[in-house]
Each structure stands twice: as C-alpha cells, then as structure tokens.
C-alpha cells in the first residue's frame, strides 16, 4: 500500500505542475486551454535540445543527470514561456480583442495543441527519446522502492507549489493575479494592468508545464504525445479540485495520481487515463462545484 | 476512369465527414454547446455498425450479420444514448465541463477499442464488414458510385430535416439558448432540455457518420479514433460556416479536398521515408487554417442566415 | 482671475458599448473641487454609463472628459488610479474571496509604502471593518460590503471618487449610514460624484444634482432646487408631487 502511495505521489507531481498552470490560465483567461498538455511536451523537447548541444545530460551526486540538464530545465521553462506568450499575442489576444466566444477560444486552443504536437513530430519524429540512458539503483525507504529521480520530481514539485503559494499571497503581482481571476473589471478599477497579469499567467503556467515535461522525461521518457496523455488527468484534477483555485487543483492532482497508481496496481494499467475521467464524472454528478470549489 | 473512380471515393469520404459536421453544426452552430469528442461518437457508431452488420468473429464479441441499414439506425441510437449519459451531468454546467467531458469520453472510447481485445480485437480491428451494393453492382467502381448516391441522399435528407427543425419554434429556442448563456439560464429546464436534445441528436449524426464509414471501408480499428478526426470536423465547420447546414457540407468537401491534395503534393515533394513528416505538416497547415478562419472570417465561407435584423441584435 | 477649472468636466459626451448605439447621447456635467454632485434619472437613462465612460469601461465615441483640466478620455482604466480618480461599481464591488484586509491592500496597490498608514485611517473611518478584517468579503452583509468597497477605493488616496448606486439593495437605515459616511469622506477633502436611484437620500448630502433621461441632461440645479421641483418629482413618482418641500 505504501508503494502505491509513493507511485501515486510521483504521478501526482507531473499532474500538479501542469494543472496549476491550467488552473491559473482557466481562472484568469476564462477558458480551459487544451494546449497545456503540449506545453509539457514542448518543454521536454527544449531541454532535450540543450542536452543534445551539451552532448551529455551529465551526472551529479549519483543521479542520472547533471548540470547540462539542469541548464536545460531553465532554458525549457523560459523558451516554453516565450512560445506561450507568442501564441497568446498571435492568436488568443486577437480573439479576446474581437470578443470571441469561449467556444472559439477552446477550439483555437485545440488547434494550437495539435500544431505544437505535430511540430514536435516534424522536428524530432515519433520515436521516444531519453535525456540519459544511465540506470540509477532504486532506493529502499522502509520497504518502499523509489528512484532518486522520482524523489527529485516530488521535491521539485513541492518546492514550486510552495513558491507559487508565497508568490500569490505575498507579492503585489501575485495578489493582482488573484484579483484578476476573481473580478477583472474591479481589478482594472484598482489600477491593475490586466494585460500584464495575463502575460505573467502564461509565463508561469507554461514555465511550470515545461518543468513537468523535463521531470517526466527524466523519470519516464520523452515522446511527442507525453503531454497530451497528461491532459485528461490534468482536467480531471482541475474539476475534482473545483476549478477556482490552485489549492483545489493540487489536491485534485494528488487524488488523481493516487487513483492512477491504484488502477495500475490492482486493475488495468492501460485504463489509467479512463480512471481520471470516471473520477470527473462521479464528482460532477455528486458535487458539480468540486471538492474545494465554491457553490455556483 | 481512374480519376473518376478516385473522385467517387473522395466524395464518399467527404460525405461521411459532412454527416459528422452537420451533427457538430446542430450542437455548436445552432445551440452553442461544445463537443470536443466528436471522434468518440463517430467511433461508437462505427463499432456499433460493425457488431450489428459484421460476421461472427471467433475471437471477439459476435457480429449479427444484419443489414447495413439496421447498422445505421443502431449506430445513431447507441451514439445518442452515450451522449445522453455524458450530457446528463455535464450539460447544465458551463461550456467548459461539457468540453472536458466530451474530450474525456472520446479518449475512454479509444482506450476501450485498443485494450478490450476480447470484444474489439484491439488494433487488429473488426474486418470483413458487409459493403452494401458490392454484390449487386458488379464492379467496385459501380459499388462505390451506388454508395455515393446513398450517402448524398442521406445528407440531403438530414439537411432538409435539420433546416425544417431550426426554422421551427424549437429552432428559435436553440438560438436563444446559444446567444446568451446567462439568459438561457433563466429559461431553466427548457434550456437544459433543448441542449440535451441537440447534443443527443448531433451525436447520433456523428454515430451515423461512423457507421457509414465502417460499411464503406469494411474495417474499423482504434486507428480511426484519433483526436485528429475531431479537429478535422472542427475545421470543416469553422471554414464552411457554423450555423449554416450547407456551409457545414461545403466545409467538409473543401477541407477533405485540401487534406487529400496536400498528401499528394507533399508525398511528391518530400523524399520517401518522411511519411510522418507529411502527416505532421498537414496537421499544422490545417491548424493554421482553423486559426486564420477564427481570426479573419469567423462566420465562415457560407455565413449563417439571420432571421433577426442586425439592429435588433446590437442592443445589449 | 478666470473661473476655477472644474475638478471633473464632461463635455458633450457620447458613449455606448456598441458603435452607433449610444446610450449616453451628449452629456455635459461639471463637478467643482470639494463638491458632492448626484446624478439622478430613471432606469436606463444612462447614469451608470456616464461614470463607466469616465472610468474608461465604456468607450467614449465623442466629446471630452477632463480631470483638473487634463483630458482622460481614452485613458486605460488601470491608469485612472494614478490620475487620482477612484470608482466604486454598483455590483461586485469587492473581491469576495479575499479578506477585508486583502481588499484594502489591493486598493493601495499603487502606493505600497503607504498601505499600513492608509489602512489605519480607513479603520478609523470605518471602525466596523477593523473588527471584520480577517473575514472574506463575500461573507459580509450588504452594508458592510459597501463600506469595504468605499474604503478600498479610498486606499489609493484619490481626489475624486465616483460611486454607482451606493444604496442599491440596502435598507433605509443602512442607506442613511452609507450617505453619512460619504459626507465624512468629503470632509477629508475628496470630491464625490454619486449616481443614485434614491434621490431623497442622495440629494440630502449633495450640493448639486443632474437629472438624466434618455442619455441627456433633463434638469440640473442645486440639491434644494431639485428636491422641490415638481418636474423631478413627476419623473420619479409619476405624479406632480415634490420629493421634499
């Protein structure tokens, strides 16, 4: 059972890093972007590019990666944020200016998602890639077997969520984001530049997705559909958590991660994505506002 | 003769897409409800038709060998039923929930098709499905031509029925529901009912499209259930003109034409062995078309015909 | 010396959400420094549109808006605070998920260094809020919320504050309390422009008033004149009764 919890937390770490950005984008831009999964894959491939340029993923402290990949992680976060900003300026901002319906925004994001995914295929093909082939021995923590890379993923995720929490509650920009997510008009009246908040939302959302992609690439593998496959679990976590704040999303991600680990262990691994969808369904029927969501 | 037989083949496939696009038009174009899982309902229809009309597979859930027409009806009913189950909890909520819910159901359906091997034969798919007219027509060309006539007849029937429906008082209610999410909340139960009705009917059409596909190719597999299908139908509707049934049909023909033309051109231009890249370039190109249309001509090639005067619509 | 420059001057303003469908059709108004001016009018007259256009939330199609002589027409809403103008919307005028204190902090976003001192002043002006400061604003009563909304707007030290129907949804007793507070606010040196349905309560604290109908000025005068005008009474009550004698 402890093993399942550990596996679930590892799965939850990738979902968390993706869904936190999805939740912020949803609350500030007012639509669920189907491209968030592919931001994850784009990030993983940017880091792969840096590692390829360096010629090695390096190695520090007995891990399967080192400074080249750590540098790649930063580059991936920055470049993915730049991609998201460029897409916003070229497409989503134009649609907002034209007062396009939410359906148009969802549809455009679905198109952007496919374009990103297949641009990766164009550049790197369908075959999976790895940052490094080194195999690190699993640690044994009181009977629970866990890879050092997996521990790092959980640690990075916890650090980033805590950092984001401090950012949202302690900084002016973070508070502005919370204000815009609740009431954009009132935020503007308060002197908040909504355009600036939107830009930072994409930067943080896509940047964290890129980190998720690199970690997922380190722990599992890199392939063009790696992010797309996380999209449904992320949406499930968003709905389970109530859609309105990142804390619900994080809790949702942990629940979905555990549900996936239980499915892999006791049911059928191939239906892992379906489990999160059924979770969504049950939540919608019993509690449409999610677990931490407010009553509509 | 070669060109002609290719044209017939092309038009049949475009027609099959057109049926699904008409279904999406009823949902999105007329009622403003989002369906990001078009391929799921298409897939349910295709597999239903395969079971109803197919031979008795020794290693899968058995075919009943019934007439394709029975398959078409069954596909519509089963796809509609799935839509009912998905729509019931999600459709009264905001658009986002239905978008995510339909996206999820499409993935689940693909997972089942891939993995429940004792029922679906996994990636081997269900084959040897009966093709109507194949025996009677004599040659494959004549059979395809007959199939085309049938598909066109079905499209005309569906379009005329839809046109009548959307011009009825019921159809005006659809638009009321679409124009304003909050105002339609005031319509309460009625808004919920018409949304669910159009969602079920539109998904039934997507199921019919799947059944037409299954009995045309004689084969269905999880390869037919990729999200790209949903994306293609989106683009067809946006390009053709959402809210206009004839636009939906035009969009299906135009986009399927572009899709097949680019494959021919790119395969000729690029060195062999780059098949993956050809497919990828095509998707990126069609994605650009979608985005360009949404930005530059959101009303599509054939815009919706409005019953209300433009001035009346401007008043907030 | 020439006449003093009005604090807020709106000149022949045409504004509306959609081009060619103006809601405000040529409105002229001025507010002198230190005044309380009320804008009255039946539903749909364009009262809210007037303040929203000044706040940059509804596009002004023609005409001019000046604050202390400088044009602010076309200014982005988020730059209004820097120009010293605050606006309190009629509804959804507090961040319901944030605490009272966080609401006030957001109001002081433009001058972070002053937030603590300014907040103390607000708690002195609205003693109830000090007690409620940890509570989410969404859990407050209507009157308390209105206090939070006004305090939040005052945090940025505006010299002009515009309020859209501050008495909406409040009991007569709370309405009286809100207008009392607005008078206290004026004594701190702030100029007020108030849009109201409740003519009696608003005119009671106002210096002057404007009555709008169909997007244009119908009457204007001192508060006393409007209260005793039979035409204004008719517009409001449907009979030629004066609002006050």
């Amino acid at each position: 059972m402890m093993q399942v919890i550990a596996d679930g937390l590892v799965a939850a770490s990738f979902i968390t890093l993706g869904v936190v950005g999805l939740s912020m984008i949803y609350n500030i831009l007012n639509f669920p972007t189907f491209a968030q999964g592919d931001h994850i894959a784009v990030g993983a491939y940017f880091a792969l590019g840096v590692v390829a340029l360096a010629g090695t993923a390096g190695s520090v402290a007995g891990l399967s990666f080192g400074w080249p990949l750590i540098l790649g992680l930063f580059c991936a976060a920055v470049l993915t944020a730049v991609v998201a900003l460029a897409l916003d300026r070229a497409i989503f901002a134009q649609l907002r200016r034209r007062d396009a319906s939410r359906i148009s925004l969802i549809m455009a994001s679905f198109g952007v998602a496919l374009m990103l995914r297949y641009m990766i295929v164009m550049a790197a093909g369908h075959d999976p890639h790895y940052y490094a082939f080194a195999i690190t021995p699993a640690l044994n923590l009181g009977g629970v077997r866990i890879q050092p890379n997996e521990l790092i993923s959980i640690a990075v995720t916890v650090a980033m969520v805590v950092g984001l929490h401090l950012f949202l509650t302690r900084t002016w920009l973070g508070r502005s984001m919370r204000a815009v997510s609740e009431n954009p008009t009132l935020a503007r009246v308060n002197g908040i530049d909504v355009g600036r908040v939107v830009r930072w939302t994409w930067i943080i959302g896509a940047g964290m997705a890129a980190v998720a992609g690199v970690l997922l690439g380190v722990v599992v593998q890199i392939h063009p559909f790696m992010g797309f496959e996380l999209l449904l679990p992320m949406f499930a976590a968003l709905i389970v958590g109530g859609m309105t704040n990142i804390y619900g999303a994080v809790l949702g991600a942990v629940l979905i991660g555990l549900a996936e680990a239980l499915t892999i262990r006791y049911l059928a691994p191939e239906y892992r994505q379906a489990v999160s969808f059924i979770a969504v369904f049950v939540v919608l029927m019993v509690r449409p506002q999610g677990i931490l969501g407010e009553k509509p | 003769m070669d060109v002609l037989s290719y044209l017939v083949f092309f038009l049949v496939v475009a027609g099959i897409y057109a049926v699904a696009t008409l279904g999406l038009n009823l949902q999105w174009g007329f009622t403003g409800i989002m369906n990001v899982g078009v391929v799921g309902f298409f897939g349910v229809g295709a597999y239903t038709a395969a079971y109803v009309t197919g031979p008795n597979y020794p290693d899968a859930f058995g075919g009943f060998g019934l007439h394709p027409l029975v398959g078409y009806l069954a596909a519509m009913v089963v796809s509609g039923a799935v839509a009912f189950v998905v729509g019931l909890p999600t459709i009264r909520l905001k658009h986002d929930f239905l978008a995510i819910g339909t996206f999820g159901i499409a993935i689940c359906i693909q997972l089942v098709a891939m993995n429940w091997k004792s029922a679906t034969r996994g990636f081997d798919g269900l084959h040897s499905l009966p093709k109507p007219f194949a025996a009677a027509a004599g040659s494959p060309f004549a059979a395809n031509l007959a199939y085309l006539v049938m598909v066109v007849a079905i499209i005309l029937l569906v379009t005329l029925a839809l046109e009548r429906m959307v011009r009825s008082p019921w159809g005006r209610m659809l638009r009321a529901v679409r124009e304003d999410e909050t105002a339609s909340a005031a319509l309460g139960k009625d808004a919920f009912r018409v949304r669910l009705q159009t969602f079920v009917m539109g998904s039934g059409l997507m199921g019919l499209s799947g059944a037409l596909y299954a009995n045309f190719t004689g084969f269905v597999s999880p390869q037919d259930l990729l999200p790209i299908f949903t994306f293609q139908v989106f683009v067809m509707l946006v390009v053709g003109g959402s809210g206009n049934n004839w636009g939906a049909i035009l969009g299906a023909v135009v986009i399927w034409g572009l899709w097949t033309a680019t494959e021919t051109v790119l395969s000729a231009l690029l060195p062999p062995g780059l098949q993956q890249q050809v497919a990828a370039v095509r998707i990126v190109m069609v994605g650009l078309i979608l985005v360009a249309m949404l930005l530059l001509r959101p009303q599509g090639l054939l815009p919706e015909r409005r019953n209300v005067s433009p001035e009346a619509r401007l008043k907030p | 010396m020439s006449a003093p420059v009005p604090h807020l001057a709106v000149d022949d303003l045409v504004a509306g959400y959609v081009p060619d469908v103006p809601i405000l059709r040529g409105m002229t108004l001025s507010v002198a420094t230190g005044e309380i001016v009320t804008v009255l009018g039946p539903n749909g007259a364009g009262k809210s549109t007037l303040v929203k256009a000044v706040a940059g939330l509804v596009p002004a199609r023609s005409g001019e808006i000046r604050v202390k002589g400088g044009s602010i027409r076309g200014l982005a809403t988020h730059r209004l605070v820097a120009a010293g103008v605050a606006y309190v919307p009629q509804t959804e005028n507090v961040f319901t998920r944030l605490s009272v204190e966080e609401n006030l902090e957001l109001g002081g976003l433009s001058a972070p260094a002053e937030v603590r001192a300014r907040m103390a002043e607000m708690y002195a002006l609205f003693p109830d809020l000090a007690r409620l400061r940890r509570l989410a604003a969404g859990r407050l009563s209507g009157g308390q919320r209105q206090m939070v909304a006004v305090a939040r707007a005052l945090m940025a030290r505006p010299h002009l504050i515009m309020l859209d129907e501050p008495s909406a949804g409040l009991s007569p007793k709370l309405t009286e309390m809100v207008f009392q507070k607005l008078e206290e606010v004026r004594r701190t040196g702030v100029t007020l422009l108030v849009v109201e349905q409740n003519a009696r309560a608003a005119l009671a604290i106002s210096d002057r008033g404007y009555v709008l109908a169909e997007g244009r000025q119908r009457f204007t005068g001192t508060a006393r004149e409007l209260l005793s005008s039979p035409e204004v009474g008719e517009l409001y009550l449907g009979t030629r009764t004066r609002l006050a004698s």
Side-chain angles (χ1 to χ4, degrees):
Chain A
M1 196 61 210
M2 287 305 287
Q3 185 66 50
V4 172
I5 291 174
D7 294 345
L9 290 179
V10 173
S13 67
F14 312 125
I15 301 174
T16 300
L17 288 175
V19 76
V20 162
L22 187 65
S23 163
M24 290 174 68
I25 293 166
Y26 176 76
N27 280 296
I28 286 176
L29 287 117
N30 219 3
F31 75 99
T33 174
F34 279 74
Q36 179 70 349
D38 299 286
H39 290 149
I40 291 175
V42 166
Y45 276 89
F46 275 134
L48 183 67
V50 172
V51 168
L53 284 178
T56 166
S59 176
V60 283
L63 296 169
S64 73
F65 60 87
W67 293 112
L69 186 64
I70 294 169
L71 175 69
L73 178 77
F74 281 104
C75 294
V78 171
L79 290 172
T80 309
V82 169
V83 167
L85 282 175
L87 287 169
D88 183 65
R89 176 165 268 199
I91 299 167
F92 299 115
Q94 307 295 331
L95 287 169
R96 287 197 297 275
R97 194 164 303 147
R98 289 165 170 78
D99 267 333
S101 67
R102 201 185 312 182
I103 294 184
S104 303
L105 287 162
I106 291 175
M107 221 177 225
S109 78
F110 196 83
V112 165
L114 268 158
M115 286 196 278
L116 288 176
R117 206 173 310 149
Y118 283 92
M119 279 195 238
I120 292 174
V121 173
M122 273 160 70
H126 274 292
D127 298 330
H129 288 83
Y130 299 87
Y131 294 120
F133 291 98
I135 292 170
T136 50
L139 305 173
N140 193 325
L141 303 176
V144 176
R145 286 171 54 82
I146 190 163
Q147 298 278 338
N149 289 343
E150 294 175 330
L151 270 183
I152 296 259
S153 288
I154 295 175
V156 169
T157 303
V158 170
M160 290 196 78
V161 169
V162 170
L164 185 66
H165 165 74
L166 293 176
F167 168 77
L168 288 174
T169 51
R170 305 284 164 87
T171 69
W172 290 113
L173 184 58
R175 286 175 182 182
S176 304
M177 286 184 157
R178 288 165 67 202
V180 173
S181 87
E182 185 184 322
N183 187 334
T185 307
L186 193 57
R188 282 162 71 196
V189 168
N190 261 300
I192 293 170
D193 181 350
V194 173
R196 182 160 171 259
V197 165
V198 164
R199 287 194 290 280
W200 278 99
T201 305
W202 283 114
I203 291 171
I204 294 171
M208 287 181 79
V211 173
V214 175
L215 294 175
L216 185 60
V218 167
V219 171
V220 190
Q221 58 174 210
I222 307 153
H223 65 100
F225 298 95
M226 62 191 284
F228 177 70
E229 285 167 5
L230 268 179
L231 190 56
L232 195 54
M234 287 195 294
F235 277 142
L238 186 68
I239 290 182
V240 169
M243 321 243 337
T244 52
N245 65 67
I246 64 156
Y247 310 105
V250 171
L251 179 65
V254 171
L255 291 176
I256 296 294
L258 291 174
E260 287 198 357
L262 281 169
T263 316
I264 291 170
R265 182 70 171 258
Y266 298 110
L267 292 167
E270 60 272 24
Y271 289 112
R272 149 173 91 91
Q273 277 184 290
V275 165
S276 53
F277 178 70
I278 289 157
V280 166
F281 229 75
V282 172
V283 167
L284 283 181
M285 279 196 265
V286 183
R287 255 183 92 88
Q289 72 273 28
I291 292 176
L292 289 189
E294 295 154 18
K295 284 221 155 75
Chain B
M1 196 62 200
D2 243 16
V3 177
L4 195 61
S5 80
Y6 185 76
L7 186 68
V8 168
F9 180 85
F10 164 81
L11 286 173
V12 170
V13 180
I16 290 169
Y17 271 105
V19 174
T21 311
L22 284 167
L24 186 68
N25 192 28
L26 181 59
Q27 297 174 341
W28 183 47
F30 289 112
T31 325
I33 50 182
M34 190 69 197
N35 185 346
V36 190
V38 177
V39 71
F41 301 102
F42 172 88
V44 168
Y47 273 84
T48 302
Y51 289 127
V52 170
T53 65
N56 197 353
Y57 306 103
D59 52 350
F61 182 67
F64 294 100
L66 296 172
H67 192 273
L69 280 179
V70 183
Y72 300 153
L73 284 176
M76 283 195 275
V77 170
V78 177
S79 293
V82 172
F84 183 80
V85 173
V86 180
L88 207 55
T90 49
I91 222 160
R92 68 176 80 237
L93 305 169
K94 285 195 292 181
H95 289 324
D96 320 317
F97 291 96
L98 190 64
I100 295 168
T102 47
F103 172 72
I105 192 82
I107 287 184
C108 288
I109 287 164
Q110 197 201 358
L111 286 176
V112 169
M114 281 191 310
N115 297 310
W116 192 14
K117 296 203 173 64
S118 61
T120 65
R121 306 182 75 242
F123 272 103
D124 295 336
L126 301 175
H127 54 78
S128 314
L129 308 176
K131 300 182 183 182
F133 316 115
S139 74
F141 172 72
N144 283 355
L145 193 61
Y147 206 85
L148 176 62
V149 171
M150 182 189 74
V151 168
V152 169
I154 288 176
I155 290 173
L156 283 178
L157 208 70
V158 167
T159 308
L160 293 177
L162 286 172
E163 286 284 306
R164 271 194 78 123
M165 277 158 62
V166 300
R167 311 231 169 275
S168 70
W170 180 81
R172 280 195 289 280
M173 192 151 157
L174 298 187
R175 284 164 212 236
V177 166
R178 179 191 62 182
E179 295 300 326
D180 192 349
E181 226 185 322
T182 41
S184 71
L187 294 171
K189 272 198 154 57
D190 289 338
F192 172 67
R193 212 186 55 234
V194 294
R195 276 193 186 155
L196 192 58
Q197 282 166 346
T198 47
F199 184 58
V200 168
M201 281 192 271
S203 302
L205 285 176
M206 292 164 194
L208 173 62
S209 163
L212 288 169
Y213 176 80
N215 286 111
F216 180 62
T217 59
F219 175 64
V220 288
S221 84
Q223 290 290 356
D224 301 319
L225 305 185
L226 300 176
I228 291 170
F229 180 87
T230 302
F231 171 65
Q232 289 170 324
V233 175
F234 277 2
V235 183
M236 287 166 180
L237 184 57
V238 171
V239 168
S242 81
N244 186 319
N245 288 319
W246 304 107
I249 299 167
L250 176 71
V253 176
V254 168
I255 291 302
W256 186 242
L258 267 172
W259 188 264
T260 43
T262 43
E263 180 174 36
T264 318
V265 172
L266 287 173
S267 302
L269 286 178
L270 293 172
L274 284 178
Q275 287 315 311
Q276 290 181 355
Q277 273 72 7
V278 170
V281 169
R282 238 170 13 161
I283 290 165
V284 173
M285 186 200 72
V286 176
L288 287 174
I289 293 176
L290 171 72
V291 169
M293 280 305 277
L294 284 175
L295 287 176
L296 304 175
R297 198 178 159 82
Q299 71 273 34
L301 295 174
L302 293 182
E304 177 178 2
R305 281 160 297 170
R306 298 277 184 182
N307 295 334
V308 265
S309 66
E311 206 173 320
R313 282 179 43 75
L314 286 177
K315 295 238 167 86
Chain C
M1 223 178 106
S2 60
V5 176
H7 204 100
L8 171 70
V10 173
D11 191 19
D12 201 20
L13 185 67
V14 175
Y17 294 91
V18 185
D20 309 324
V21 189
I23 298 171
L24 213 56
R25 308 167 188 200
M27 177 67 196
T28 298
L29 161 152
S30 76
V31 183
T33 303
E35 263 191 320
I36 299 183
V37 170
T38 294
V39 177
L40 302 166
N43 265 330
K47 305 184 300 282
S48 291
T49 308
L50 171 67
V51 278
K52 282 184 187 164
V54 175
L57 291 167
V58 174
R61 307 287 165 186
S62 69
E64 190 50 89
I65 306 165
R66 284 194 169 82
V67 169
K68 291 181 168 175
S71 173
I72 61 158
R73 190 187 146 192
L75 196 71
T77 301
H78 69 266
R79 300 198 187 282
L80 204 68
V81 175
V85 181
Y87 163 62
V88 180
Q90 180 187 343
T91 53
E92 296 178 9
N93 53 17
V94 295
F95 295 105
T96 52
R97 279 184 231 146
L98 306 185
S99 70
V100 169
E101 187 142 309
E102 286 173 316
N103 266 280
L104 297 193
E105 281 171 351
L106 272 168
L109 198 67
S110 53
E114 281 186 57
V115 163
R116 291 292 134 200
R118 192 68 181 151
M119 207 178 299
E121 289 172 39
M122 287 304 119
Y123 288 148
L125 189 60
F126 304 103
D128 278 358
L129 298 188
R131 183 168 54 82
L132 302 167
R133 66 177 189 271
R134 299 253 168 258
L135 219 58
R139 300 180 54 192
L140 303 182
S141 70
Q144 291 165 338
R145 273 196 211 202
Q146 204 58 258
M147 297 293 112
V148 175
V150 173
R152 180 191 50 68
L154 288 171
M155 282 295 290
R157 287 192 191 282
H159 49 73
L160 171 67
I161 175 166
M162 304 186 293
L163 300 105
D164 195 349
E165 299 216 19
S167 78
L170 299 186
S171 69
K173 209 176 148 200
L174 280 172
T175 303
E176 197 186 321
M177 195 259 300
V178 167
F179 281 108
Q180 228 167 24
K181 287 291 175 194
L182 293 183
E183 221 173 354
E184 285 180 42
V185 169
R186 185 241 294 260
R187 269 184 244 128
T188 65
V190 178
T191 306
L192 285 92
L193 178 65
V194 184
V195 163
E196 254 306 333
Q197 288 271 18
N198 189 336
R200 279 195 192 100
L203 287 173
I205 62 156
S206 299
D207 300 298
R208 292 187 300 116
Y210 290 81
V211 180
L212 258 69
E214 289 166 6
R216 289 190 186 89
Q217 173 190 315
R218 187 80 170 266
F219 306 103
T220 180
T222 63
R224 188 180 296 269
E225 284 164 2
L226 292 179
L227 278 169
S228 56
S229 148
E231 288 93 339
V232 175
E234 186 181 14
L235 203 60
Y236 268 88
L237 305 171
T239 61
R240 291 184 73 84
T241 319
R242 289 166 189 159
L243 289 166
S245 48

